[in-house]
Amino acid sequence: MPHRLRPVTVRDAAELAELLRRHREFLAPWEPLREESYFTVAGQRADIAAVLVRYERGDAVPLVILDDGTIAGRLTLNGVVRGPFQSCSMGYWLAEDRTGRGLATQAVQAAVSLAFSELGLHRVQAETLTSNAASRRVLAKAGFQEYGLAPRYLKIAGVWQDHVMYQRLNEQSG
């Protein structure tokens, strides 16, 4: 696994809870509304346990983004679909004090590499709010192509919001 990413474990719950609490205000405009329990160690343990069940089923690949050996954010390959689709959707977040240094771009590129090589997928898609210029830059730098607009796609910050759709295709897949 690339050095910027590693699988999430339940042992990461305390570090993730602290990171989420510290950067809650920064992340709020880009995230769904969360219960208070989400920002606790117990809430993170539950969230991680749930995504690890999805990992065991082959539906998701939950990762942490590392920066100098510490957790800087999360990245998950979601909705892994096999058969003729061979695709997944990617979501990620990064702590505010870790932005602006190319870390998110490196993590996204590493995740795409994982999706194409180890998982053998044909397509990775990502969606971002139309107003999230930083995420749009990350995806463009990571080689994603914008291919559409999804009106009222996800309920973010308590409001159904439009998202720009991006994709990366595995040119090596048959």
Side-chain angles (χ1 to χ4, degrees):
M1 177 127 345
H3 70 281
R4 289 285 187 207
L5 298 173
R6 72 162 168 75
V8 70
T9 72
V10 175
R11 291 184 307 279
D12 297 322
E15 192 173 352
L16 283 166
E18 175 60 25
L19 200 61
L20 286 164
R21 278 193 304 272
R22 271 190 291 137
H23 299 282
R24 185 174 183 173
E25 189 174 316
F26 170 72
L27 295 170
W30 321 115
E31 291 283 314
L33 294 179
R34 307 280 191 186
E35 297 289 328
E36 285 301 315
S37 62
Y38 179 79
F39 301 93
T40 67
V41 175
Q44 283 303 296
R45 272 194 203 111
D47 188 68
I48 293 166
V51 77
L52 289 176
V53 168
R54 292 176 40 227
Y55 172 72
E56 290 299 319
R57 284 194 317 244
D59 298 340
V61 180
L63 306 162
V64 289
I65 301 171
L66 300 174
D67 183 28
D68 294 327
T70 63
I71 297 175
R74 288 271 314 265
L75 186 150
T76 305
L77 300 175
N78 290 295
V80 177
V81 178
R82 297 299 183 169
F85 198 40
Q86 296 295 332
S87 184
C88 73
S89 180
M90 179 179 53
Y92 58 91
W93 61 264
L94 196 62
E96 182 178 20
D97 61 352
R98 309 292 179 91
T99 63
R101 298 185 288 128
L103 185 58
T105 302
Q106 292 171 26
V108 166
Q109 289 169 329
V112 168
S113 178
L114 170 74
F116 290 167
S117 63
E118 291 182 40
L119 300 178
L121 297 179
H122 169 68
R123 181 174 177 269
V124 177
Q125 72 178 46
E127 307 80 20
T128 189
L129 288 167
T130 57
S131 61
N132 192 339
S135 191
R136 293 178 76 171
R137 275 192 307 275
V138 165
L139 294 170
K141 287 181 187 176
F144 280 72
Q145 295 178 322
E146 183 179 325
Y147 72 95
L149 177 71
R152 299 181 56 188
Y153 185 66
L154 293 173
K155 195 171 191 179
I156 301 296
V159 179
W160 289 103
Q161 297 195 45
D162 297 350
H163 281 65
V164 181
M165 310 293 283
Y166 288 85
Q167 69 179 2
R168 252 296 298 262
L169 299 178
N170 183 352
E171 301 303 333
Q172 306 305 312
S173 63

